[in-house]
Amino acid sequence: QVQLVESGGGSVQTGGSLRLSCASSGHTYSNWYMGWFRQAPGKEREGVAAVYVGHTITYYRDSVKGRFTISQDNAKNTLYLQMNSLKPEDTAMYYCAANNFGGRWDDRTKYNFWGQGTQVTVSS
């Protein structure tokens, strides 16, 4: 089974940094999308960043470009999200997800595997 487990969330002040990790099963994810989504209270879950595995293609939400970096360690089957210059509007539950259906990178309905989420809180 494909299993995804996030970690690394926490509380930081504006301008701080966090690195989220997503440990995955040993499944081969080549040609899958793997990405990070987030959801704040009362809002829809939105795509933050994603990678098209095996094709050196990455995607980012406009509001995080230049601040967040998505990467992966294939040997450890781990996906990362380095978050710098954090802002209060980044506060949300962050989820790791995997997509083998295709479609838009940020279409949450195309992602069929999800982690449990890790909370990120940024205070001013």
Side-chain angles (χ1 to χ4, degrees):
Q1 291 183 304
V2 173
Q3 294 181 312
L4 306 171
V5 181
E6 305 96 330
S7 62
S11 298
V12 298
Q13 294 182 309
T14 297
S17 298
L18 287 171
R19 188 176 75 161
L20 306 184
S21 298
C22 173
S24 65
S25 69
H27 181 79
T28 299
Y29 294 98
S30 182
N31 299 315
W32 290 39
Y33 288 114
M34 292 195 69
W36 293 93
F37 286 72
R38 66 187 182 187
Q39 187 168 24
K43 297 185 178 180
E44 293 186 346
R45 192 169 298 185
E46 62 185 21
V48 178
V51 298
Y52 189 29
V53 179
H55 296 271
T56 64
I57 299 172
T58 60
Y59 308 87
Y60 294 94
R61 185 177 188 83
D62 285 346
S63 62
V64 309
K65 289 180 179 177
R67 299 189 297 122
F68 292 9
T69 302
I70 189 169
S71 62
Q72 58 183 334
D73 184 336
N74 295 133
K76 297 181 178 180
N77 293 317
T78 302
L79 184 73
Y80 300 99
L81 184 67
Q82 178 66 46
M83 305 186 295
N84 298 326
S85 302
L86 284 162
K87 305 174 180 180
E89 51 262 45
D90 295 317
T91 295
M93 184 72 74
Y94 282 70
Y95 299 89
C96 177
N99 170 359
N100 66 348
F101 293 163
R104 285 180 56 87
W105 72 269
D106 57 349
D107 184 350
R108 65 183 184 276
T109 69
K110 300 296 185 180
Y111 284 74
N112 50 334
F113 300 100
W114 294 86
Q116 83 287 353
T118 186
Q119 179 68 38
V120 171
T121 302
V122 185
S123 60
S124 60

